[in-house]
Amino acid sequence: MSIPDDLLLALAAMVESEQTNQMSLTVVVHGAVITGRLAPESVWRQRVAEVLRDSDQLGPFAEIFSSAGRGDRQASAAPSHLHFHVARILQGTLGIPETGGMYRIAVKDVGAWTVGDFSYSDK
């Protein structure tokens, strides 16, 4: 989308303001279907930093997520990115990764979206 959807921006802003991570959302970005739950940017950054900090090879990168960008965006400004956690890229009958990952997606790149988290089952 060249002009982000007002409803999607309102959802993202509410997640940011309420500091909730329970909003399930599915988006289509450049043909990829990504499904999961939105998280406030600060919570998402903290979780990514924790994962990196626990890695022997990637530990030094944790600081970037711990400090960069905090407070840059005014509270009244619309979010520019969606921050997904426990998210999966849907491919055929499975989601990658199975356990869910952390994705940051530019709102302007979302071509379609729906409320809810899609999952597949073999049954």
Side-chain angles (χ1 to χ4, degrees):
M1 268 185 219
S2 58
I3 300 174
D5 184 303
D6 289 340
L7 286 173
L8 182 58
L9 288 173
L11 284 174
M14 183 171 268
V15 167
E16 287 293 331
S17 68
E18 299 292 326
Q19 295 295 300
T20 179
N21 62 0
Q22 298 303 306
M23 183 65 207
S24 295
L25 191 71
T26 299
V27 297
V28 178
V29 179
H30 302 294
V33 178
I34 301 169
T35 189
R37 288 196 318 228
L38 291 179
E41 182 176 0
S42 61
V43 172
W44 183 88
R45 283 177 175 271
Q46 178 183 3
R47 180 65 186 126
V48 172
E50 289 169 3
V51 170
L52 292 172
R53 206 173 287 119
D54 290 343
S55 168
D56 291 336
Q57 294 83 20
L58 302 176
F61 293 98
E63 183 58 31
I64 294 170
F65 290 90
S66 298
S67 61
R70 290 187 182 242
D72 288 352
R73 190 175 58 83
Q74 295 178 358
S76 61
S80 61
H81 290 78
L82 302 173
H83 295 86
F84 281 88
H85 70 116
V86 293
R88 295 172 319 283
I89 298 172
L90 300 182
Q91 178 67 40
T93 58
L94 52 102
I96 306 166
E98 258 185 53
T99 57
M102 307 289 285
Y103 295 100
R104 177 178 160 106
I105 299 169
V107 173
K108 68 177 180 58
D109 291 337
V110 175
W113 62 275
T114 187
V115 172
D117 183 359
F118 288 117
S119 61
Y120 285 110
S121 173
D122 295 334
K123 300 174 187 176

